[in-house]
Amino acid sequence: MAVLVINSGSSSIKYQLVEPDDGAIVASGLVERIGEPEGRIEHSDRAGSTETTEPIPDHRAGLQLAFAMFARGGAPLESLGITAVGHRVVHGGKVFTEPTVVTDAVIAEVDKLSALAPLHNPPNLLGIEVARALLPDVPHVAVFDTAFFQTLPPAASTYAIDAELAKKHGVQRYGFHGTSHQYVSQQVASFLGRPGSELNQIILHLGNGASASAVRGGVAVDTSMGLTPLEGLVMGTRSGDIDPGILLHLRRSADMTVDDLDALLNRHSGLKGLSGVNDFRALSELVAAEDKQAALAYDVYVHRLRKYIGAYLVALGRLDVITFTAGVGENAPQVRADALANLAELGIVVDAAANERRAKGPRVISAPESKVAVLVVPTNEELAIARAAAELSG
Ligand code: AMP
């Protein structure tokens, strides 16, 4: 039994064939530069890895080429016992509170939500439509990035702007990366051998995109991303929190259009805007070489992170565990050390040696005297999507 997980973006499609029980990856791949003169497909399965370049005019061609890759290894897709297809969908609005079997009505609803996520939902939908046509006999399940945060109390999900205008245009905080936050919060409970219902957690998903969440007894009560994935922490290329007045100022004084501002905040801000690089490893190299802008970018990144940790500590009142996950959270001990430095008064003490130790699975990095457990837990959104799809198709 295997589930095909598809993450379809504007010019790329990531896919993974996963056995939902044990998380074994049967095959995985990436189709990128769709629509550009030269596309690229990278595919790995038990027969090995291949990489090819050829023009990929659209998502249909991309998925067809990816599916054809399976046959090269001698095991065509039809022979692999696929029981369901799980699709990552970024915005589920207020409508989708949990993973949902795709029907025509679901597609129409996700399409309506494109106004809230114009960069994400349309390519997500394309992936669903193409995959449904190519694999019509298995259930397709949409798993929403926003769903885990449907439980945010109104005090956390409401923006203090004109209430009627906000309602009319769906302006509220939805949160993103929910599949990861939910998966990690559950992993934390099972790793600690305690019921999730007893734990107050802060989860820091620090990847190229980054977000924090506060989870009380398994239920999300706050998160750093909002109407869009722009709000909150400093990210690779996104600004995170800024004074909204900056946009008005730049509109008026720098004559920037809405598209200019969109590009600024989504693509030319964050670590990239401050230092010229968005990749954390590249940033660390610049910091080590005493590059001043890189050092500033690092300091702004850590300062913002500490602000959110403080805010969520107070929001939760009692804190049991802080968990780092995703590319930076799992692999950058310096960020973890700096994010939690000098918090012994609050019962948070990181063990320097445990923090530096490299390991693959979930691990404790807090000192024995730390009242709050500090963990590193690898995220696995594909597995979470595969499990959700398997459950609904069973
Ligand atoms: P993700 O979006 O979860 O794939 O995370 C991507 C980010 O993780 C990039 O900024 C990478 O530079 C960063 N990252 C991955 N591996 C490492 C590492 N060993 N040390 C520091 N950062 C890393």
Side-chain angles (χ1 to χ4, degrees), residues 3-4 6 84-111 113 124-125 128 132 138-148 150 179 182 384-394:
V3 175
L4 182 65
I6 294 178
V85 182
H87 296 269
R88 176 178 187 220
V89 179
V90 167
H91 218 307
K94 289 205 321 192
V95 187
F96 296 106
T97 57
E98 49 192 29
T100 305
V101 175
V102 175
T103 61
D104 291 345
V106 167
I107 289 183
E109 233 12 279
V110 172
D111 192 28
L113 291 165
N124 295 161
L125 264 183
I128 292 179
R132 262 182 119 203
V138 293
H140 289 248
V141 173
V143 179
F144 299 92
D145 249 32
T146 45
F148 183 55
Q150 291 290 316
T179 307
Q182 181 171 31
I385 292 172
R387 287 191 173 150
E391 207 171 296
L392 279 185
S393 65

Side-chain angles (χ1 to χ4, degrees), residues 205-209 278-282 284 326-328 331-332 358 379:
H205 175 114
L206 310 177
N208 201 17
N278 66 292
D279 188 280
F280 215 87
R281 281 165 291 198
S284 305
V328 176
N331 297 299
R358 295 216 165 259
T379 190

